[in-house]
Amino acid sequence: MLEKHQLKEILDLCVETGGDFAEIFEEKKVSHTVNLLNGEVEKANSGVIFGVGIRIYHGTESVYAFSNDTSMDNLRKMAKNLAGSYNEEKKDIQFELEEVVYENQHPILIDPTTVDMDKKIEVAKMASKGAQEYDEIIKKVMVSYLDERQEVTISNTNGKLIRDTRIRTRLSTTAIAMDGEEMETGFYGPGAAKGFEFYDEINPYEAGKEAARIAKTLLTADLCPSGTMPVVIDNGFGGVIFHEACGHSLEASSVAKRQSVFAGKLGQQIAGSKVSAVDDGTITNAWGSA
C-alpha cells in the first residue's frame, strides 16, 4: 500500500484542473474457491486482485481509472490524464491526510487464508453429502465454497485516510431433484463477514440438506393456484426486493442528475407508513453490510 505522502501527491495532481473532489481506492484481495459436483472436486482455485483506482468528481460528472501498476510514475500519469478531462482554474482545496480509525464491527477468529485447502474441501464435501443423502430424488448436487480477504485503503481530498480488512466466506449448495421429465432446483447459501469459525457455527451437512429439501418440496408441491393473494417476504430477502424496486433509483449518480423518480424527495415520505428500510453498515456479521 502507498505511503501517506504519496497519496497526498496523487490527490493534489487530481484537482489541479478544477476538480471538486478526488479519491484513491487501493485494494489487495486474496480469494479461495472450491467447486464440487456430486461430491467430487471440479475446481479449487486461489486468486489475487491488486491495484489502485483513482476517481475525480466535477459537479455531477466523474472520471475514473484503475491500474495494477502501482509505481508512482504510473500513478502520476493516471492522475494527470484524468485531471486533463477538465480545464478550469484549480479550486481552493487544502487538506492534509489524517488516518481515521473505526471500531471493527466484524471481529475475525480464524483468518481463512491461514486454513489449509483440504479443510475447505472437507466443508464443501460435507454440504454435498448432506444434499446427496437427503433423498434419492436428488440427482445432482453442486457445492461452491468461497472465502476472501480484502485489504483496502481509501483516501480523499477531504483529508480522510481509512484502512480496512474485510474477510468473508460463503458456502452455497444447489440441489437438483428429478422425477421423470420433471425437474426442480433448490439453493441454500449461508455466508457471513466472518472467518473460518463460521463453519463451527453452522452445520455444512445440514446446509446441504436444506438445499435438497427445497428442491424436493418444489418438485412435489401442488400447482400454485391463480388469483389475488397476499405476498409474504421471508427474512433476509426483503433487501433484494427493495434493492430492485428502489435501490437503483436511489443511487447518487441518478439522483444528482435528477434522472431518478426520487430526485428532490429528501425528507418526504415515498412509501406507505409500514414500509421502511435502514442501510446500516454497523450491523455485526451481516454479509451485505460488510
Side-chain angles (χ1 to χ4, degrees):
M1 298 297 188
L2 298 172
E3 299 294 329
K4 186 185 294 187
H5 70 277
Q6 294 174 312
L7 295 168
K8 174 72 162 57
E9 179 184 346
I10 299 303
L11 288 169
D12 280 334
L13 289 173
C14 288
V15 293
E16 282 289 334
T17 57
D20 299 315
F21 175 85
E23 61 183 355
I24 300 172
F25 180 88
E26 302 174 77
E27 173 186 27
K28 180 182 179 181
K29 181 164 69 176
V30 178
S31 62
H32 304 91
T33 59
V34 178
N35 295 306
L36 272 63
L37 175 61
N38 291 339
E40 298 296 324
V41 177
E42 283 201 316
K43 295 180 183 178
N45 293 326
S46 299
V48 177
I49 294 176
F50 175 75
V52 174
I54 302 175
R55 192 185 311 270
I56 306 173
Y57 288 88
H58 182 272
T60 59
E61 299 177 344
S62 68
V63 289
Y64 174 80
F66 175 89
S67 177
N68 59 7
D69 179 354
T70 58
S71 66
M72 283 300 291
D73 285 343
N74 182 61
L75 295 178
R76 291 187 188 102
K77 182 179 178 180
M78 280 175 58
K80 290 177 181 179
N81 285 342
L82 287 174
S85 301
Y86 310 117
N87 186 25
E88 297 181 9
E89 292 294 322
K90 181 180 179 180
K91 295 180 172 65
D92 184 20
I93 300 176
Q94 305 292 330
F95 67 96
E96 293 295 333
L97 288 174
E98 297 294 336
E99 187 163 355
V100 181
V101 179
Y102 292 97
E103 179 184 356
N104 182 9
Q105 297 291 327
H106 306 281
I108 303 300
L109 301 181
I110 305 174
D111 186 337
T113 61
T114 66
V115 178
D116 291 340
M117 185 65 87
D118 286 345
K119 292 185 177 180
K120 300 172 184 181
I121 291 173
E122 182 181 343
V123 166
K125 284 191 171 184
M126 286 299 295
S128 183
K129 185 178 181 182
Q132 289 176 278
E133 294 182 348
Y134 181 77
D135 193 290
E136 63 181 12
I137 205 171
I138 303 300
K139 303 301 183 183
K140 189 175 183 179
V141 175
M142 294 165 285
V143 175
S144 174
Y145 167 93
L146 163 72
D147 67 54
E148 60 184 33
R149 175 190 175 94
Q150 182 191 36
E151 298 176 33
V152 302
T153 300
I154 302 168
S155 53
N156 62 42
T157 51
N158 284 344
K160 288 188 175 182
L161 172 61
I162 302 172
R163 307 182 194 275
D164 194 15
T165 299
R166 306 162 178 177
I167 293 178
R168 300 175 175 181
T169 188
R170 189 171 193 180
L171 181 66
S172 302
T173 303
T174 300
I176 298 177
M178 295 185 67
D179 183 8
E181 295 184 358
E182 296 291 325
M183 181 181 74
E184 288 290 350
T185 300
F187 174 82
Y188 188 62
K194 292 188 176 185
F196 202 72
E197 70 274 8
F198 181 62
Y199 300 104
D200 293 327
E201 300 173 11
I202 69 165
N203 186 323
Y205 185 88
E206 293 297 323
K209 282 178 62 177
E210 177 62 9
R213 183 197 67 80
I214 294 170
K216 181 181 178 181
T217 299
L218 290 172
L219 185 65
T220 58
D222 294 334
L223 294 175
C224 182
S226 61
T228 302
M229 59 192 69
V231 176
V232 179
I233 300 175
D234 192 14
N235 286 338
F237 196 73
V240 177
I241 299 298
F242 177 84
H243 170 82
E244 298 301 337
C246 303
H248 290 295
S249 296
L250 288 170
E251 291 169 357
S253 56
S254 298
V255 176
K257 299 175 183 178
R258 305 194 68 81
Q259 294 176 344
S260 166
V261 295
F262 297 119
K265 298 289 182 65
L266 186 64
Q268 298 181 34
Q269 182 173 319
I270 59 173
S273 59
K274 294 183 180 181
V275 177
S276 62
V278 178
D279 183 4
D280 186 353
T282 66
I283 298 174
T284 304
N285 293 323
W287 175 279
S289 67

